[in-house]
Amino acid sequence: MRPFILQGHSRPLNQVKYNREGDLLVTCGKDKTVNLWWTEDGQRAGTFNGHTGAVWTSDISYDSTRLITGGADSAVILWDMNTGEEQHHFRFQEPCRAVKFSVGEAFAAVSSDPFMQAVSAVRILPIAADPAEQGEEAVQTLRGPRGRIARVEWTDQNRTLITASEDGFVRRWDVETGKELAAEHVHEKNIQDLQMSVDGTHFITASVDCSSKLVDTQTLAVLKTYQSNVPVNSAALSPVYDHVILGGGQDASQVTTTSSRAGRFESRFFHKVFQEEFGNVRGHFGPINAVSFSPDGTGFASGGEEGYVRLHKFDADYFTTKFF
Amino acid sequence: GSHDLAETGHQRRQCAPGPHPAMSLALKPDEEKMFEGQPQGFPFGDFDLEDVMLPEGDDNFGFPSEEEEEEEEDAQTESGFANVLVVDGVPKVSQEKYQKLTSILTKILSGPGHIRENGLWHPVDEATGLSKGCVFVEYETPDQARAAQAALHGYALDKAHKFSATLYDEAERLAAVPDEYVAPEPRDAPPPENQWSWLSDRRGRDQFVARFGDETEIYWNDVAKQQPEDVYKRSTWTELFVLWTPRGSALATLHRQGVALWGGDSFGRLMRFSHQLVQRVAFSADERYAYTFSEVPPAGPRDPLRFLLIVWDVRSGRKLRVFEGPQAEFAVGAAARPDGGLAWDAFRWSGGAAPGAPSFLAHLKKGGVAVYESPDFGLVDRKSVKLDSVQSIEWSPAEPVLAAYQVEEGNMPARIMLMRFPKKEELRAKNLHSVAGVQLSWHPQGDFLAVAVEKWTKSHKSTNTHFELFSLRERDTPIDMLELPNKAEKIHELVWEPRGVRFAILHGDGSRLSVSIYSMRDGKLPGARGVAHLHTLVNKQASSLHWSPAGRFLVLAGTKQTQNGLMEFWDTEDMSLLSAGEHYMATEVQWDPTGRYLTTVVNAQNSTDNGYYIWSFAGQLLYKVERNRFYQFQWRPRPPTLLLAEKQKAILKNLKHYSKKYDEEDEAILMQADTEFLAAREKQMEEWREWQATKAEWAAEQAEAKKALLGDRLRDGDFTVQLAEVTVVLEVKEEAITMSRVVEIAIAFFFISHIPITIFVDSQAVFSGELYHAKIRETTEWYLRTYGDPLMTPPYKPWFLSLVYSEVFLQLPFFFVGAYAFLARRNWVRIPALMYASFVTATMLPIFFELWFHKAPGYKPAMVSAFYAPYLLFPLLIIARTAFSAYPFKQPALSDAWNNKQKWV
């Protein structure tokens, strides 16, 4: 089916995220805005205005009532998803690149870029159920080496955090003690994205070293590698099939010298186990910065450098064709 | 020279380094940088210089080399002592005079070169207190040391003392010479590997080499398995590029030190040619000789650019001849680069020598061509061929025939000349006037030579091109002339059909070019010589033409940036386009040596999509390989066939018999590959499931914890998505199948029932009554009496008759087809069924009008209309069943994993 093309951003997309039920999609971009869309018809439900810099990341609460976003303006904002109003505005000294609610949303993990003298860090903020009682203080701060932390994920019953970093390392941290438990050099170049599987046993990474890897959450061992020939900016795991999507493309700085075809601005489908490509979806005319599977696995969304989000629903033959 | 040196060596036995006590004495732990690249902590505790000088090294892979001495020298140079000079014959003096002598020596020795700081060592014999009578001097560069050696050897300090200067490396070697001659042990050379074993591949596959990143890999082109199969691979095998020898027996690699040849099943080293900083290598057609070429950087700013070219005997590795000198002397005509330097291929090997026949090497010189003959590579007849203002030469690929082009000068016309060696017999020459340029193109078997002649027009502002075509296989080498319809057009390329008499010309201006194919056989007189135009293809996005090595098939390749790598595969027998494909941004096209497969390559000129595609001769894409930083692809050439002509003919005749056998084999291999492939996948899947099983418990813990953390906010459905999805899809499908099946059977039944009605009832309107059985006629009459059907009652209306005719002669055959197709669910019936149904629907319109408006006693309109109704309802049903999908019955099969892989990727 033809995808819905969502035109709500005037600058490159940074992240696209479905809510748990898959009826809503949150997109954030460099144009300082966060947009909310109905996935059923591709209509815009609203825009969250409040950031004064690029919005790098967002996370949606389990029941889709609250949204947390972080941006280059060093702000982390907690929103009411129903009304679009700010519930709380955290101000930090450093740009924020990753946010993630813990399971149950008692806490949020917020990463900060290395800035001035500060090294990169992840702050654990307690999130009050009533916004009026929301405090500013972090209960724990995990300080790491210099190097931006692109993604952070809670795992092991909220006891540990997984971070993906600019230096190509995936690290595991103890939330209680703030100590680094393990670090694994997974990629040659910076990691741009990390997405968990539904059961949390493994996750997928995306790196500008032109590959994407499937990693065991407990051991951080690399299980599978998906090789592309252009930088991979985002990778997603299908919740229902053994399929993965890699989104990326020739670096934006070189795009002017190549046609959109040579840039390989495609969502490429790989088989999770066989590591073989079995299809691709074209349409973007800039590198793809973000991909995400809908939670029921019946579609996916991709956000491009050119500012468009393409919202796809799979045709029937995606489900009936035996690809392998 | 070596005799001299040996003497000096013997004289100075006492000074010769060896396990050197004095040297280690002189070194204080904190200083003494003795030579460039001195290792940390040098000298090592009890080091043995032997170890330093002669590193564990290259044995010769069983080839006793003529140059072992030379190589040893090279090895020593690498030791870092090359800039050290040993001067002997110095007076032995006591302590008092030591300082004085040392300063005198410093003065003398620093004359020819700069001595390094603390680079002069004047050793003292501790036992006697006298100096030892020799000095070690370390210069800044090996060159200075060599210059000093030349200047100081034989220098007379006074009457009694004459210096003898020896390079340290040399002294070391001489000192190591034992006093007694010991005959070397004869070495058993291991039997050489068979260099041709790859030709006996049972499936007749070809090999190729691919170079990407730091890797050089050799593969079989395994088309049956649709992937390359590894033969041999090695990292950083070459420093520049690799090259197959012309008959494919070995692979040459280029290194800083020279060229190495590799071959046999194990790709062991067969031979090496020592040539520092070699840049190119070229083999004679019979692989017996080769030359290596390098530019020599100028020693000073005024020094001219020089070159060094060494001719080798490939089998023995012996140097046969060396050419060197300023490049400008050899850079004549086409051999000169735009910058005045020498094109590396200025020296040309003659083509395809017969067994035992000599090979020739030719190069241009001022006013002539120098041609050298194997095995000693002296000039043929001891003199070069005099050819005034010669501009370019080309050897025939098949025999020692040289084509030369002499440029027009003054009153002398331009001239094309063919000469056979070694007799220097002039086969044919042609004079031409107002020539702007000439391009020589030989037929691959040397049967023809095409010369594209670009001539100035009268105004001298533009040029016209025509062709002079030499036929070498005919008496007196006749010449035919060819002009294209538009003489002013730019000619891009002329390519001869291998093993044929045709050639293709790529011509035209702008981005869309034309391809014209001509034959050297007269169009009217069979077998006679003549130039006949066969075909012209216009408006092609092509920048190069590639004939199959077997002839007949021609590929038009668009390998320029803007042409997107478009490939057109033509069969020139009947000028049919077999296939057109695209390898996006392809930069190179190569046929395999047999003409069965074609490769297109995107090399590292492009930053992305590097790799190669393998196509069949007919343009079917067989497989793709992606490799980052892809540099080089080369098919392994095959030697000329040894089969006799009759045998080849016999094979061609029985081709059907052979092809059946090989098709079966291919099928079997494919089946096996398929099974293996599926098994490998199954195994991967199995491993994945096992891994998942080990994680099941942990995942369950996580899920429990999540439930606990979320409490009453938990919603269902998080973990059951997959099951729900599958059920829904299957249900819909089954329902659809049962409904439509009922309709299909009904339609089929309609067709079947229509057959007897048409034959026995309706056709009575057009055939005479006697044809029908009495019972049938009675039934019809009863029907007419009872219901009064106005249409079937004679006299028949003409329009109704026309409909009955169409029913009997057009529709009746279709009833059989339709009944079968709807029962067997055949998609092809869709269009005929729609045609039938819409036709019949339309004919029912006048019929119902007639039934409606007809007035007669005993006529029962309702009953008769009911009889006719099915012939409206069923056609409508057919339309409803078939109109809405291109595949009304079932999707084309998509189940085969192998096909799907091809389809999707």
Side-chain angles (χ1 to χ4, degrees):
Chain A
M1 207 181 90
R2 283 169 59 88
F4 293 123
I5 297 168
L6 314 183
Q7 305 183 14
H9 293 274
S10 54
R11 298 208 47 214
L13 270 296
N14 287 326
Q15 202 177 17
V16 296
K17 203 149 204 168
Y18 285 92
N19 68 340
R20 191 183 62 83
E21 288 87 355
D23 59 336
L24 292 171
L25 182 76
V26 171
T27 62
C28 49
K30 284 191 183 163
D31 62 350
K32 309 174 192 174
T33 61
V34 180
N35 282 319
L36 182 68
W37 310 84
W38 294 110
T39 58
E40 181 65 34
D41 52 8
Q43 293 296 314
R44 191 167 60 106
T47 297
F48 300 89
N49 289 317
H51 278 284
T52 54
V55 188
W56 290 118
T57 180
S58 68
D59 194 27
I60 305 168
S61 69
Y62 182 81
D63 50 11
S64 306
T65 55
R66 305 176 93 183
L67 176 74
I68 187 165
T69 58
D73 55 351
S74 306
V76 171
I77 305 178
L78 207 53
W79 310 83
D80 183 331
M81 263 183 98
N82 290 322
T83 62
E85 278 161 15
E86 278 187 24
Q87 289 183 336
H88 197 83
H89 196 119
F90 299 91
R91 284 188 178 79
F92 297 106
Q93 300 302 313
E94 307 90 14
C96 165
R97 200 156 293 256
V99 291
K100 187 77 187 174
F101 282 122
S102 68
V103 179
E105 288 128 34
F107 299 97
V110 172
S111 84
S112 60
D113 283 355
F115 194 66
M116 310 292 277
Q117 297 305 311
V119 295
S120 61
V122 178
R123 293 192 177 80
I124 309 295
L125 304 171
I127 303 294
D130 180 358
E133 293 168 16
Q134 182 64 47
E136 290 282 340
E137 285 308 302
V139 289
Q140 177 65 272
T141 305
L142 322 172
R143 293 198 187 279
R146 292 190 75 85
R148 294 163 180 169
I149 294 171
R151 292 287 179 261
V152 51
E153 288 281 347
W154 296 82
T155 174
D156 198 13
Q157 308 172 21
N158 288 348
R159 288 184 297 212
T160 57
L161 280 182
I162 302 275
T163 60
S165 184
E166 196 180 12
D167 53 8
F169 274 85
V170 170
R171 295 189 170 81
R172 189 214 311 285
W173 308 80
D174 188 315
V175 177
E176 289 275 316
T177 64
K179 291 236 167 64
E180 180 185 308
L181 297 174
E184 211 54 58
H185 192 219
V186 173
H187 284 285
E188 293 304 314
K189 293 185 184 163
N190 48 325
I191 305 177
Q192 301 278 71
D193 194 15
L194 184 155
Q195 297 192 19
M196 272 284 169
S197 71
V198 173
D199 63 0
T201 59
H202 55 283
F203 56 82
I204 191 164
T205 59
S207 165
V208 290
D209 70 0
C210 301
S211 72
S212 171
K213 297 194 178 177
L214 199 71
V215 182
D216 183 326
T217 311
Q218 279 181 288
T219 64
L220 301 187
V222 173
L223 302 170
K224 301 282 175 188
T225 300
Y226 312 100
Q227 193 63 47
S228 180
N229 42 18
V230 288
V232 186
N233 295 330
S234 185
L237 290 163
S238 165
V240 290
Y241 290 128
D242 285 330
H243 295 172
V244 304
I245 301 180
L246 268 54
Q250 195 66 265
D251 189 41
S253 63
Q254 292 175 32
V255 166
T256 47
T257 63
T258 53
S259 70
S260 77
R261 197 162 150 219
R264 292 293 198 115
F265 309 135
E266 303 161 340
S267 301
R268 307 176 73 176
F269 282 69
F270 283 73
H271 192 276
K272 181 154 85 177
V273 181
F274 307 142
Q275 307 166 79
E276 275 180 55
E277 186 178 353
F278 63 90
N280 58 54
V281 177
R282 290 189 184 147
H284 281 284
F285 46 91
I288 295 173
N289 288 342
V291 289
S292 186
F293 261 108
S294 85
D296 58 1
T298 59
F300 75 101
S302 58
E305 184 80 9
E306 81 277 16
Y308 290 150
V309 176
R310 297 175 74 88
L311 186 62
H312 302 259
K313 286 240 159 56
F314 293 123
D315 289 331
D317 47 353
Y318 173 79
F319 303 101
T320 52
T321 308
K322 201 170 165 281
F323 289 111
F324 288 93
Chain B
S2 75
H3 180 70
D4 268 1
L5 288 172
E7 246 176 18
T8 8
H10 278 289
Q11 276 172 18
R12 302 193 299 89
R13 177 53 46 84
Q14 76 227 46
C15 277
H20 216 292
M23 182 164 285
S24 37
L25 249 177
L27 288 159
K28 285 162 201 118
D30 55 338
E31 43 107 31
E32 285 341 73
K33 186 171 185 265
M34 291 193 59
F35 52 87
E36 215 153 5
Q38 175 175 318
Q40 194 78 45
F42 188 88
F44 313 111
D46 53 344
F47 79 102
D48 185 345
L49 270 176
E50 295 272 345
D51 291 345
V52 180
M53 313 284 248
L54 298 168
E56 203 62 49
D58 290 316
D59 60 300
N60 282 331
F61 283 83
F63 285 79
S65 166
E66 290 289 315
E67 294 143 35
E68 248 164 2
E69 286 180 358
E70 201 179 298
E71 279 161 16
E72 207 168 299
E73 188 181 274
D74 287 349
Q76 285 182 0
T77 307
E78 285 161 21
S79 72
F81 289 107
N83 57 346
V84 177
L85 188 73
V86 186
V87 182
D88 203 359
V90 178
K92 298 182 183 180
V93 295
S94 59
Q95 211 86 77
E96 304 87 69
K97 291 185 180 170
Y98 180 81
Q99 278 304 332
K100 177 107 188 196
L101 179 62
T102 308
S103 64
I104 292 171
L105 288 173
T106 311
K107 213 172 226 172
I108 299 170
L109 296 173
S110 57
H114 289 280
I115 301 177
R116 260 175 202 233
E117 219 179 307
N118 296 327
L120 185 120
W121 178 45
H122 189 191
V124 175
D125 189 334
E126 280 178 45
T128 62
L130 292 176
S131 65
K132 279 193 170 181
C134 63
V135 192
F136 291 80
V137 198
E138 189 194 353
Y139 287 99
E140 279 179 350
T141 63
D143 281 345
Q144 291 180 8
R146 274 196 292 275
Q149 196 267 335
L152 296 174
H153 188 63
Y155 179 90
L157 187 68
D158 55 26
K159 274 184 187 155
H161 296 95
K162 203 171 169 187
F163 285 177
S164 71
T166 318
L167 289 171
Y168 184 88
D169 285 348
E170 189 65 11
E172 161 68 4
R173 189 182 64 77
L174 293 170
V177 173
D179 291 343
E180 298 285 323
Y181 171 74
V182 183
E185 293 263 329
R187 284 187 291 182
D188 283 333
E193 267 188 275
N194 180 1
Q195 281 170 251
W196 303 103
S197 53
W198 58 282
L199 285 170
S200 42
D201 178 49
R202 222 187 53 74
R203 288 162 51 204
R205 296 172 298 176
D206 276 292
Q207 288 189 353
F208 59 82
V209 64
R211 211 159 57 75
F212 52 90
D214 293 332
E215 309 299 317
T216 303
E217 303 190 345
I218 295 164
Y219 302 97
W220 291 112
N221 170 30
D222 202 331
V223 170
K225 291 186 186 170
Q226 303 199 324
Q227 61 191 24
E229 185 189 311
D230 294 357
V231 176
Y232 183 79
K233 53 179 71 175
R234 194 156 160 176
S235 286
T236 57
W237 200 2
T238 180
E239 285 170 54
L240 288 174
F241 56 90
V242 296
L243 183 76
W244 290 108
T245 55
R247 294 184 173 182
S249 69
L251 185 76
T253 57
L254 278 80
H255 309 266
R256 211 175 300 268
Q257 297 84 357
V259 173
L261 281 184
W262 314 78
D265 282 334
S266 63
F267 280 92
R269 191 166 70 195
L270 304 173
M271 184 49 64
R272 61 178 184 186
F273 310 123
S274 176
H275 183 154
Q276 286 290 318
L277 303 175
V278 64
Q279 288 166 313
R280 298 286 180 169
V281 58
F283 292 86
S284 69
D286 59 2
E287 296 191 345
R288 288 184 57 180
Y289 307 102
Y291 72 70
T292 53
F293 173 90
S294 69
E295 289 189 3
V296 180
R302 296 273 176 87
D303 205 37
L305 207 57
R306 308 177 76 82
F307 77 95
L308 170 64
L309 184 144
I310 308 173
V311 182
W312 305 86
D313 183 319
V314 169
R315 274 178 287 187
S316 67
R318 202 186 311 236
K319 251 184 212 178
L320 296 175
R321 173 114 201 209
V322 174
F323 296 91
E324 58 185 325
Q327 293 192 9
E329 276 179 26
F330 289 79
V332 175
R337 291 194 310 241
D339 66 354
L342 182 66
W344 79 269
D345 62 349
F347 284 69
R348 300 290 180 90
W349 287 108
S350 63
S359 287
F360 298 90
L361 185 63
H363 70 83
L364 292 170
K365 55 187 284 184
K366 286 202 174 73
V369 179
V371 181
Y372 305 89
E373 183 174 2
S374 69
D376 54 357
F377 289 93
L379 280 167
V380 179
D381 294 344
R382 301 190 181 190
K383 55 177 185 278
S384 47
V385 183
K386 195 170 170 311
L387 285 173
D388 287 330
S389 41
V390 61
Q391 173 72 13
S392 61
I393 48 171
E394 292 287 345
W395 284 103
S396 156
E399 54 198 333
V401 169
L402 188 74
Y405 160 55
Q406 293 164 268
V407 81
E408 196 166 0
E409 206 152 293
N411 290 333
M412 294 289 287
R415 192 160 173 268
I416 311 287
M417 191 270 310
L418 288 174
M419 186 178 266
R420 185 187 295 279
F421 284 85
K423 289 186 176 163
K424 298 192 177 173
E425 162 199 359
E426 192 173 300
L427 298 178
R428 186 74 204 251
K430 169 104 185 183
N431 289 344
L432 296 157
H433 292 277
S434 21
V435 174
V438 145
Q439 197 66 43
L440 305 169
S441 314
W442 275 100
H443 182 267
Q445 278 73 42
D447 297 349
F448 306 100
L449 171 73
V451 184
V453 183
E454 214 180 327
K455 277 184 148 187
W456 292 111
T457 53
K458 275 187 184 149
S459 64
H460 244 256
K461 277 178 186 153
S462 58
T463 57
N464 286 338
T465 309
H466 77 275
F467 299 90
E468 304 280 347
L469 304 158
F470 293 70
S471 297
L472 277 91
R473 298 287 170 255
E474 309 214 15
R475 253 179 87 136
D476 301 332
T477 318
I479 304 173
D480 293 280
M481 208 188 88
L482 169 69
E483 269 184 6
L484 293 188
N486 178 1
K487 289 188 288 189
E489 258 183 336
K490 191 169 177 227
I491 306 297
H492 298 267
E493 202 174 19
L494 183 149
V495 202
W496 286 96
E497 178 188 20
R499 302 172 200 289
V501 296
R502 290 177 291 186
F503 59 92
I505 302 173
L506 184 66
H507 57 98
D509 305 303
S511 63
R512 302 278 179 149
L513 306 180
S514 304
V515 179
S516 292
I517 299 178
Y518 289 87
S519 167
M520 290 301 288
R521 292 283 172 265
D522 194 281
K524 289 152 200 150
L525 270 172
R529 184 178 52 81
V531 185
H533 175 248
L534 298 180
H535 215 282
T536 296
L537 307 166
V538 293
N539 216 3
K540 290 293 167 197
Q541 273 198 42
S543 54
S544 57
L545 306 175
H546 304 269
W547 282 100
S548 155
R552 182 167 170 181
F553 300 102
L554 179 69
V555 170
L556 278 52
T559 46
K560 276 195 191 147
Q561 272 282 303
T562 52
Q563 291 173 327
N564 289 353
L566 212 65
M567 305 288 154
E568 286 190 5
F569 294 76
W570 287 84
D571 180 353
T572 58
E573 210 76 332
D574 51 2
M575 279 324 286
S576 56
L577 177 64
L578 297 172
S579 172
E582 187 193 79
H583 184 180
Y584 189 60
M585 298 310 250
T587 46
E588 274 174 57
V589 176
Q590 279 185 38
W591 278 95
D592 87 326
T594 61
R596 293 177 293 176
Y597 306 106
L598 182 97
T599 322
T600 54
V601 180
V602 176
N603 62 25
Q605 286 171 22
N606 284 333
S607 55
T608 54
D609 297 317
N610 281 196
Y612 55 92
Y613 289 6
I614 306 265
W615 311 72
S616 77
F617 71 95
Q620 185 196 0
L621 180 55
L622 300 171
Y623 60 90
K624 307 175 179 181
V625 177
E626 285 186 4
R627 292 279 183 268
N628 280 334
R629 288 194 291 137
F630 193 85
Y631 297 119
Q632 201 189 353
F633 182 100
Q634 198 192 3
W635 287 100
R636 190 172 194 168
R638 283 172 174 261
T641 178
L642 297 173
L643 286 178
L644 298 171
E646 302 95 75
K647 182 79 181 161
Q648 290 186 45
K649 263 188 197 155
I651 292 173
L652 271 176
K653 213 173 150 190
N654 297 321
L655 206 56
K656 279 230 173 87
H657 166 73
Y658 291 108
S659 69
K660 197 176 158 198
K661 188 177 118 198
Y662 288 118
D663 281 350
E664 277 166 14
E665 268 179 32
D666 281 358
E667 189 69 19
I669 289 161
L670 194 58
M671 289 280 287
Q672 192 201 343
D674 224 354
T675 330
E676 281 170 15
F677 180 79
L678 290 175
R681 281 212 167 139
E682 192 47 50
K683 189 160 165 269
Q684 278 185 311
M685 207 63 211
E686 195 52 46
E687 281 167 7
W688 174 252
R689 286 197 201 101
E690 274 167 26
W691 179 86
Q692 274 185 315
T694 63
K695 296 287 168 187
E697 198 182 326
W698 188 79
E701 275 174 32
Q702 302 299 309
E704 279 307 312
K706 188 172 177 181
K707 264 186 199 166
L709 283 164
L710 287 168
D712 55 359
R713 291 205 292 158
L714 184 79
R715 297 280 179 281
D716 291 339
D718 274 11
F719 305 102
T720 53
V721 178
Q722 187 165 13
L723 274 176
E725 188 66 36
V726 171
T727 354
V728 170
V729 169
L730 285 181
E731 264 174 21
V732 169
K733 230 179 152 182
E734 271 167 24
E735 212 174 58
I737 286 167
T738 47
M739 252 306 289
S740 54
R741 192 67 191 146
V742 170
V743 174
E744 285 154 20
I745 291 168
I747 292 169
F749 182 76
F750 164 74
F751 281 131
I752 294 168
S753 72
H754 212 317
I755 295 166
I757 289 173
T758 305
I759 294 174
F760 298 117
V761 183
D762 296 353
S763 65
Q764 286 188 27
V766 294
F767 296 119
S768 68
E770 290 89 66
L771 281 172
Y772 303 87
H773 197 269
K775 275 263 168 67
I776 294 168
R777 269 184 290 167
E778 269 171 36
T779 318
T780 313
E781 276 158 23
W782 170 81
Y783 161 75
L784 292 176
R785 266 201 318 279
T786 321
Y787 301 105
D789 181 341
L791 296 170
M792 286 299 284
T793 317
Y796 305 110
K797 295 182 176 60
W799 65 265
F800 182 72
L801 271 181
S802 75
L803 295 182
V804 177
Y805 273 112
S806 88
E807 184 186 334
V808 174
F809 294 107
L810 291 177
Q811 296 177 21
L812 183 60
F814 180 72
F815 296 149
F816 295 92
V817 177
Y820 163 76
F822 276 87
L823 279 177
R825 302 167 57 77
R826 294 284 178 262
N827 284 327
W828 48 253
V829 82
R830 179 169 177 248
I831 298 299
L834 283 172
M835 286 166 64
Y836 163 79
S838 38
F839 171 72
V840 173
T841 313
T843 63
M844 292 315 287
L845 214 61
I847 289 174
F848 277 116
F849 256 68
E850 183 70 32
L851 296 182
W852 188 259
F853 292 108
H854 186 74
K855 294 278 177 306
Y859 167 51
K860 297 177 177 139
M863 284 307 287
V864 175
S865 297
F867 278 121
Y868 279 88
Y871 302 101
L872 177 65
L873 290 179
F874 274 95
L876 289 174
L877 201 56
I878 290 170
I879 291 170
R881 179 66 190 86
T882 57
F884 300 106
S885 163
Y887 301 103
F889 297 110
K890 59 187 170 211
Q891 293 284 323
L894 280 173
S895 56
D896 185 18
W898 192 263
N899 282 337
N900 277 331
K901 193 183 154 217
Q902 301 305 318
K903 182 174 179 284
W904 280 86
V905 176

